């Protein structure tokens, strides 16, 4: 059994990227579980808060889920041609304290996908994640690419992925990522 944590970088209720993660979970191949995690409830990172109160419970839960998984699937929006702040904040918290970062991220296979209303999908955001993931010691999976452009046409009003071609691409992407995890990443 392969377990992949699916993490959307959006807090919006009908988010395209949350819809991608849900669709990935629904279409995962046999023997693969997509454990859908959330960044909701994670406060803005503040070193003083960390020093005084430690790691917030929502962060501790996210860290444990990522650490226990075989891989991480990030669905990233693209805001102002880069990484969304709320998702970067969650990853920053999850890397704290530095002595525990390796337990969570070291050698963790990570695949990045994304959906955007624009014409270029999330290519700039996905590219911006590369140095972040590298600095955390993750293994960026580069066996495929999924960029959903003009997402308003691929998702319904509730953020559910409905486009048959994109559903097929997503299914193939998840199957290939999962197969790489079977082989050891």
């Amino acid at each position: 059994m392969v377990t992949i944590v699916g993490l959307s970088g959006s807090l919006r209720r009908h988010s395209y990227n949350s819809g991608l993660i849900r669709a990935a979970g629904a279409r995962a191949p046999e023997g693969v579980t997509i454990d859908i995690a959330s960044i909701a409830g994670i406060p803005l990172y503040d070193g003083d808060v960390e020093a005084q109160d430690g790691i917030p419970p929502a962060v501790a839960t996210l860290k444990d889920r990522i650490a226990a998984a075989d891989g991480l699937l990030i669905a990233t929006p693209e805001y102002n041609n880069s990484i969304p702040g709320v998702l970067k904040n969650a990853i920053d918290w999850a890397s704290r304290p530095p002595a525990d970062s390796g337990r969570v991220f070291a050698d963790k296979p990570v695949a990045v996908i994304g959906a955007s209303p624009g014409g270029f999908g999330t290519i700039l955001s996905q590219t911006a994640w590369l140095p972040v993931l590298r600095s955390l010691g993750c293994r960026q999976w580069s066996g495929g690419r999924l960029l959903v452009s003009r997402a308003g046409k691929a998702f319904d009003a509730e953020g559910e992925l409905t486009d048959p071609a994109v559903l097929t691409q997503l299914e193939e992407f998840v199957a290939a990522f999962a197969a790489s995890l079977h082989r050891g990443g």
Side-chain angles (χ1 to χ4, degrees):
M1 178 62 110
V2 170
T3 300
I4 299 169
V5 168
L7 191 62
S8 169
S10 178
L11 296 171
R12 196 169 58 87
R13 183 176 40 176
H14 300 305
S15 159
Y16 300 138
N17 288 285
S18 296
L20 269 178
I21 292 295
R22 286 190 304 274
R27 299 178 81 85
E30 187 174 330
V32 176
T33 298
I34 306 284
D35 173 21
I36 299 175
S38 175
I39 61 174
I42 295 179
L44 292 175
Y45 178 75
D46 182 333
D48 292 336
V49 170
E50 179 186 5
Q52 179 179 333
D53 302 328
I55 301 298
V59 175
T61 298
L62 178 62
K63 289 174 59 167
D64 289 345
R65 287 169 78 178
I66 293 171
D70 299 301
L72 174 62
L73 176 63
I74 295 174
T76 184
E78 183 168 298
Y79 299 157
N80 298 315
N81 294 330
S82 194
I83 296 169
V86 294
L87 182 54
K88 177 66 165 64
N89 177 70
I91 297 299
D92 289 344
W93 259 119
S95 72
R96 303 297 302 165
D100 192 40
S101 183
R103 175 183 72 89
V104 179
F105 293 112
D107 212 30
K108 180 71 60 183
V110 179
V112 182
I113 60 178
S116 170
F120 296 106
T122 56
I123 193 164
L124 296 174
S125 181
Q126 289 189 34
T127 301
W129 276 109
L130 295 175
V132 174
L133 297 172
R134 187 177 317 111
S135 72
L136 293 171
C138 297
R139 280 188 286 143
Q140 171 68 34
W141 183 71
S142 59
R145 185 164 240 180
L146 183 64
L147 308 158
V148 182
S149 58
R150 297 186 182 23
K153 296 179 180 179
F155 293 82
D156 66 19
E158 282 73 45
E160 299 303 318
L161 182 57
T162 58
D163 183 289
V166 177
L167 282 164
T168 298
Q169 291 172 336
L170 177 62
E171 188 173 316
E172 291 169 356
F173 183 96
V174 170
F177 181 46
S180 78
L181 299 175
H182 278 298
R183 294 187 303 269

